[in-house]
């Protein structure tokens, strides 16, 4: 009689070298969205003049970009959990490149500008959410923090240099065209690099990386190497996972069938369903609310520093973004390493063996406690620093004071955002991209609401009381969510997992065989 055969003997068949190449490619790809968003800002006066529209009308293109920034991961990241990461990466960068070419060639149509910016956002904005899924595909939980930290650092480098690049292009050429051509060149480079070297990683498609996918979904480099190989056996030799000398190819099981890929309608609304589990609203709130808080700080910078007593020039206002950006970049790097350390520390405390080869059984591990260590201190510190930031501006303190506080806030706020974004991925290991998409969606909604109320509240309360109130609301809500999550989060997560298994059990009894195995083998 046939019996199920285990496919995933280890969590990932991708070697250390392969993982590093994948992370490098995806870290570079992460630049697409921040560059497209921030390089555009210095071009607004030129675009307004070129298309003969008001500043308010040209701001509509920013609104459209943000809307599609929320929609793109919602539409595409969940699909990548079913059809695979590689086709979605290639498709989104193709859209991004085509839209950038159209923007560079467009000289007169304002409607075309809006449509092409929407397409550009569609192509760029899903990448980070898919990256979360890719990291979950190839890394065990104990190593995800460091891997994600590297990618998010790259994304925030784009946020730092984007306005500078856009400003340099605008000031030196007096035209917006070369900014879009630069985006097109970057998109073409990434499209070529991903097509050549990026393997499929989605576990619903290639398992732990040991199952070979269809020819059209393999890296071009591998296809070329196989075509010129005289025996082909060099690509089938065994190698231990973690061996840095392993070539840029997985060790495939050619006898294993490719898993069936079916896109269900439910996958398109799965991001909304995640919001209604008991534990996830608290995780999402902790990640999204602090993202919105940071967006408020960023949005208020021009109005703060252009006004007396600071009276910065436009160039100086742009430079005022750098301290916060440096804090963000440092936080991404440090928090990733800290998350890995706290995971291992908690495991050691419990006598829980961390398996770097197979995925840890998080049903027996309090991942909520491990990930959220020191978060209470960070939330409390945010309340204090945010209040100080508001009153420093209100009292006209030397500009160095709010700039230093921006650095501290960037470090703390992004720490909290990063920690709980990773935690959400940990709690949904089967659909990590969908989980990351939910976080992105709620971030955009909260950020839009926060920025919409920013100026009316500042005008009524002043910067001092506004930021003090913002700190108190976010702090009290954040500490409450953290308490609930640490107290009941693991029990809720385990209960949810058991409910899913009970629901799948009748299906498993009707179709018990995962893989047909020859009786004589």
């Amino acid at each position: 009689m046939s019996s199920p055969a285990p496919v995933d003997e280890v969590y990932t068949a991708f070697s250390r070298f392969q993982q590093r190449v994948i992370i490098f490619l995806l870290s570079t790809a992460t630049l697409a969205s921040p560059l497209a968003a921030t390089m555009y800002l210095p071009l607004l006066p030129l675009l307004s003049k070129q298309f003969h529209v008001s500043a308010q009308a040209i701001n509509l293109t920013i609104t459209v970009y943000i809307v599609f920034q929320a929609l793109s991961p919602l539409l595409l990241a969940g699909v990548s959990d079913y059809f695979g990461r590689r086709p979605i990466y290639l498709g989104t960068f193709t859209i991004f490149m085509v839209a950038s070419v159209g923007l560079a060639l467009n000289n007169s149509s304002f409607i075309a500008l809006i449509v092409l910016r929407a397409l550009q956002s569609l192509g760029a904005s899903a990448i980070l959410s898919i990256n979360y899924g890719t990291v979950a595909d190839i890394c065990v939980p104990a190593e995800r923090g460091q891997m994600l930290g590297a990618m998010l650092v790259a994304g925030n480098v784009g946020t730092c240099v984007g306005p500078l690049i856009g400003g340099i292009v605008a000031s030196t050429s007096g035209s917006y065209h070369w900014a879009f051509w630069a985006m097109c060149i970057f998109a073409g480079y990434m499209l070529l690099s991903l097509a050549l070297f990026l393997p499929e990683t989605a576990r619903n498609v290639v398992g732990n990386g040991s199952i070979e996918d269809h020819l059209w979904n393999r890296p071009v480099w591998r296809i070329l190497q196989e075509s010129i190989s005289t025996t082909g056996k060099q690509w089938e030799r065994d190698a231990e996972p973690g061996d840095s000398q392993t070539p840029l190819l997985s060790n495939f099981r050619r006898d294993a069938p490719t898993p069936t890929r079916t896109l269900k309608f439910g996958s398109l609304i799965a991001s909304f369903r995640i919001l209604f589990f008991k534990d996830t609203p608290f995780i999402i709130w902790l990640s999204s609310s602090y993202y919105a808080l940071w967006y408020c700080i960023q949005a208020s910078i021009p109005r703060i520093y252009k006004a007396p007593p600071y009276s910065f020039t436009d160039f100086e206002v742009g430079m005022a973004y750098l301290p916060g950006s440096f804090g963000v970049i440092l936080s991404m790097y440090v928090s990733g390493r800290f998350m890995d350390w706290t995971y291992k520390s908690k495991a050691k405390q419990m006598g829980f063996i961390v398996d770097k080869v197979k995925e840890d059984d998080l049903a027996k591990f309090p991942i909520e406690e491990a990930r959220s260590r020191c978060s209470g201190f960070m939330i409390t510190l945010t309340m204090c620093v945010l209040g100080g930031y508001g009153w420093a501006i209100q009292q006209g303190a030397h500009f160095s004071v709010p700039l230093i506080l921006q650095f501290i806030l960037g470090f703390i706020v992004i720490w909290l955002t990063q920690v709980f974004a990773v935690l959400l991925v940990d709690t949904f290991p089967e659909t990590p991209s969908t989980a990351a998409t939910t976080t992105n969606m709620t971030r955009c909604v909260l950020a839009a609401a926060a920025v919409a109320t920013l100026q009316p509240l500042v005008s009524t309360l002043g910067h001092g009381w506004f930021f003090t109130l913002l700190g108190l609301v976010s702090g009290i809500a954040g500490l409450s969510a953290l308490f609930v999550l640490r107290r009941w989060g693991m029990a809720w997560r385990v209960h949810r997992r058991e409910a899913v298994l009970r629901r799948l059990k009748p299906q498993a009894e009707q179709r018990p065989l995962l893989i047909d195995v020859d009786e004589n083998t």
Side-chain angles (χ1 to χ4, degrees):
M1 180 181 293
S2 299
S3 60
V7 175
D8 297 343
E9 298 176 355
V10 295
Y11 183 75
T12 178
F14 292 100
S15 69
R16 284 289 186 193
F17 176 72
Q18 290 171 292
Q19 289 177 350
R20 291 184 185 122
V21 170
I22 292 170
I23 295 301
F24 173 78
L25 288 171
L26 301 188
S27 297
T28 310
T30 304
L31 290 169
S33 184
L35 283 178
T38 58
M39 283 179 64
Y40 186 77
L41 299 178
L43 307 176
L44 296 179
L46 291 173
L47 292 168
S48 179
K49 181 178 179 181
Q50 175 69 31
F51 293 97
H52 307 290
V53 294
S54 65
Q56 183 177 358
I58 209 70
N59 283 342
L60 179 61
T61 61
I62 300 176
T63 302
V64 169
Y65 189 93
I66 294 173
V67 169
F68 277 83
Q69 197 171 31
L71 291 177
S72 178
L74 182 64
L75 296 173
L76 298 176
V79 175
S80 76
D81 286 328
Y82 287 89
F83 285 122
R85 319 290 182 205
R86 180 180 159 83
I88 306 302
Y89 280 125
L90 298 179
T92 53
F93 268 105
T94 299
I95 294 172
F96 181 58
M97 183 173 67
V98 171
S100 298
V101 171
L103 287 164
L105 296 176
N106 182 31
N107 292 311
S108 58
S109 174
F110 180 63
I111 298 299
L113 178 66
I114 294 175
V115 172
L116 290 169
R117 275 295 282 176
L119 287 175
Q120 194 179 48
S121 179
L122 182 68
S125 300
I127 293 169
L128 181 57
S129 292
I130 302 173
N131 284 356
Y132 275 95
T134 303
V135 169
D137 292 336
I138 65 174
C139 298
V140 294
E143 299 177 343
R144 288 175 190 168
Q146 184 175 344
M147 295 295 190
L148 285 170
M151 286 194 296
L152 294 173
V153 165
N156 282 281
V157 167
T159 302
C160 291
V161 303
L164 297 178
I165 295 174
I168 291 171
V169 169
S171 61
T172 55
S173 68
S175 170
Y176 61 88
H177 295 90
W178 272 108
F180 293 127
W181 282 122
M183 295 182 203
C184 177
I185 292 169
F186 172 75
Y189 164 77
M190 284 310 309
L191 188 60
L192 179 62
S193 299
L194 294 172
L196 281 173
F197 301 115
L198 183 70
E200 181 56 69
T201 65
R203 303 183 74 81
N204 288 346
V205 178
V206 294
N208 69 346
S210 63
I211 300 173
E212 190 167 43
D213 198 17
H214 300 295
L215 181 66
W216 61 266
N217 199 27
R218 300 176 197 168
V220 175
W221 172 260
R222 178 171 177 273
I223 296 173
L224 293 175
Q225 291 289 342
E226 286 189 332
S227 68
I228 63 175
S229 174
T230 55
T231 64
K233 293 182 180 179
Q234 59 177 312
W235 305 116
E236 299 176 13
R237 63 178 179 266
D238 293 331
E240 292 294 329
D243 179 8
S244 62
Q245 301 304 315
T246 304
L248 184 59
L249 296 170
S250 294
N251 301 301
F252 294 103
R253 288 186 50 179
R254 298 180 183 277
D255 60 330
T258 302
T260 302
R261 284 168 274 180
T262 304
L263 178 62
K264 301 177 182 178
F265 178 76
S267 68
L268 301 178
I269 60 173
S271 297
F272 290 101
R273 293 205 308 267
I274 288 176
L275 293 169
F276 298 99
F277 294 112
K278 288 183 179 180
D279 55 330
T280 52
F282 299 101
I283 303 174
I284 292 170
W285 169 260
L286 284 162
S287 179
S288 301
S289 63
Y290 284 96
Y291 176 87
L293 185 153
W294 181 241
Y295 213 103
C296 272
I297 295 172
Q298 296 288 86
S300 66
I301 284 176
R303 194 175 288 269
I304 289 171
Y305 291 105
K306 289 282 285 184
Y310 304 116
S311 302
F312 280 13
T313 65
D314 290 334
F315 176 75
E316 290 170 335
V317 169
M319 296 294 289
Y321 282 91
L322 293 182
S325 298
F326 291 149
V328 168
I329 292 172
L330 180 62
S331 179
M332 291 291 188
Y333 178 78
V334 175
S335 64
R337 291 185 172 271
F338 182 79
M339 277 189 285
D340 290 343
W341 177 80
T342 55
Y343 184 99
K344 295 170 185 175
S345 175
K346 185 66 176 180
K348 183 178 180 181
Q349 177 186 340
M350 296 178 57
F352 183 86
I353 299 176
V354 176
D355 194 334
K356 293 187 177 183
V357 177
K358 298 180 181 179
E359 183 178 26
D360 297 330
D361 185 2
L362 297 184
K364 304 175 183 177
F365 184 76
I367 188 67
E368 292 81 5
E369 292 184 29
R371 293 296 192 212
S372 64
R373 185 179 293 186
C374 294
S375 293
F377 170 75
M378 291 292 189
I379 292 171
T380 304
L381 185 60
T382 301
M383 286 193 289
C384 299
V385 176
L386 194 59
Y389 176 73
W391 287 108
I393 296 166
Q394 184 85 8
Q395 299 300 319
H398 189 270
F399 68 83
S400 62
V401 176
L403 289 178
I404 291 171
L405 293 177
Q406 282 172 214
F407 171 83
I408 298 172
L409 285 168
F411 183 89
I412 300 171
V413 169
I414 299 304
W415 179 294
L416 293 167
T417 299
Q418 164 81 339
V419 163
F420 291 101
V422 173
L423 176 58
L424 189 66
V425 171
D426 288 330
T427 57
F428 288 91
E430 295 86 2
T431 55
S433 287
T434 304
T437 299
T438 303
T439 302
N440 180 79
M441 178 180 63
T442 52
R443 282 177 182 180
C444 290
V445 171
L446 287 179
V451 171
T453 59
L454 169 65
Q455 194 52 45
L457 288 176
V458 168
S459 299
T460 303
L461 302 173
H463 286 102
W465 282 114
F466 170 75
F467 283 110
T468 299
L469 181 63
L470 184 61
L472 287 172
V473 171
S474 61
I476 293 172
L479 289 172
S480 301
L482 181 64
F483 172 79
V484 171
L485 189 62
R486 289 176 67 91
R487 177 66 178 82
W488 294 289
M490 180 178 176
W492 287 340
R493 171 170 54 86
V494 172
H495 178 75
R496 182 180 73 240
R497 178 64 179 168
E498 290 173 349
V500 171
L501 292 176
R502 285 195 301 270
R503 209 164 47 240
L504 294 177
K505 187 176 180 180
Q507 300 177 16
E509 291 174 349
Q510 294 176 8
R511 191 178 55 187
L513 300 183
L514 298 178
I515 297 177
D516 291 330
V517 180
D518 194 306
E519 296 178 2
N520 297 320
T521 60

